[in-house]
Amino acid sequence: MVRDAAFVLNIKLHYLPPYSPNLNPIERLWKVMNEKSRNNVYFKSKRDFKEAIDQFFTVTLPEIAGSLTSRLNDNFQVLNSASSS
């Protein structure tokens, strides 16, 4: 059904490996969050950690959202299958 609907809507499907975090936009967002809030930081308590993550999503992310378009997108290179010789 999905293939048929994609054909009718002129959508080309790209099949991804079952585990492909580099192609998943949410994984890229987690990486940005880690860079901005967590990397090389020691949190004395769970509360401090939670506050840093909350700060990222409520303050930092809205401030940097415009600059993330190049990192958080679904543009990826499509490679053709290697032909067997």
Side-chain angles (χ1 to χ4, degrees):
M1 288 175 30
V2 171
R3 281 188 225 127
D4 292 341
F7 178 78
V8 169
L9 296 169
N10 197 28
I11 296 172
K12 184 175 181 183
L13 299 176
H14 297 281
Y15 296 93
L16 303 177
Y19 179 72
S20 51
N22 56 323
L23 301 176
N24 187 345
I26 194 65
E27 296 288 347
R28 296 180 213 163
L29 178 59
W30 297 143
K31 183 176 181 178
V32 172
M33 182 198 66
N34 285 328
E35 291 170 358
K36 300 288 184 185
S37 301
R38 224 191 58 140
N39 282 0
N40 299 318
V41 176
Y42 172 74
F43 297 99
K44 289 184 178 184
S45 68
K46 179 180 167 183
R47 186 172 136 223
D48 292 342
F49 175 74
K50 183 183 180 312
E51 286 175 3
I53 302 305
D54 288 346
Q55 174 83 8
F56 172 77
F57 284 105
T58 58
V59 178
T60 307
L61 185 57
E63 289 174 354
I64 65 170
S67 67
L68 296 178
T69 56
S70 64
R71 292 180 75 172
L72 302 177
N73 59 52
D74 59 356
N75 296 333
F76 54 91
Q77 183 178 7
V78 177
L79 302 175
N80 294 325
S81 300
S83 59
S84 56
S85 10

